[in-house]
Amino acid sequence: MVDVESRTARDRDSHLGRRAVISALGGHRITYLLAGAMTAALYYALLGLGLLTTKGGVAYLFLVVVSHFITVVIVYPWYRLVVFRVSGEPWLAGYLRFYLVGAAFLAASLIGLPILVEFCGIPIMVAQAMIIVMSPPLSYAIHRTWTFRDRGNV
């Protein structure tokens, strides 16, 4: 009898644990962190690949712009459909707002990188990593309250 009761309690606790994990993964902050990590990794890989293939033949700030543009085009659907679960709004309008927010962070890179690289002597990829680490909290707040807000409740 005790075995049956403990197994029932254990099954109930296991079920509650699974529901908590699923609920947490469905939350904006967790999916945003995953999307942000994916976005940063993609951008960083594209920039690194660009720097390696051009071997200094192309200005690194140009590669930053190209890597940023490619990254935004690739990740926008993920943010729209998975992270913020937007529906019913035109894709182009949402993409333009998403790109505008991204352009502000691109500007931070275009301003911050030359300072860190040229004046401080920090390698390009290290400097870019420093800038990337500082942007997710602000980016989340902007996307949540402006880019992907529920326009039906405004």
Side-chain angles (χ1 to χ4, degrees), residues 4-127:
V4 171
E5 288 177 10
S6 67
R7 188 173 47 196
T8 303
R10 191 174 48 237
D11 289 347
R12 184 182 63 241
D13 291 344
S14 174
H15 178 69
L16 290 174
R18 281 193 300 263
R19 286 183 60 193
V21 169
I22 290 169
S23 176
L25 287 176
H28 289 282
R29 289 179 188 98
I30 298 298
T31 54
Y32 185 80
L33 285 173
L34 294 172
M38 174 186 71
T39 301
L42 175 62
Y43 167 77
Y44 204 70
L46 289 171
L47 180 58
L49 184 62
L51 291 168
L52 282 174
T53 57
T54 61
K55 298 178 182 161
V58 175
Y60 69 89
L61 292 177
F62 177 77
L63 295 174
V64 165
V65 172
V66 170
S67 299
H68 178 267
F69 178 76
I70 293 169
T71 300
V72 170
V73 168
I74 292 170
V75 302
Y76 173 70
W78 176 264
Y79 279 84
R80 180 181 172 96
L81 299 173
V82 178
V83 177
F84 293 103
R85 297 183 184 112
V86 174
S87 63
E89 181 183 334
W91 276 67
L92 183 58
Y95 175 78
L96 292 175
R97 281 192 308 277
F98 185 76
Y99 195 81
L100 187 60
V101 172
F105 290 100
L106 173 61
S109 287
L110 294 175
I111 294 167
L113 277 175
I115 293 169
L116 294 172
V117 172
E118 308 300 330
F119 295 116
C120 298
I122 298 172
I124 296 168
M125 294 300 283
V126 173

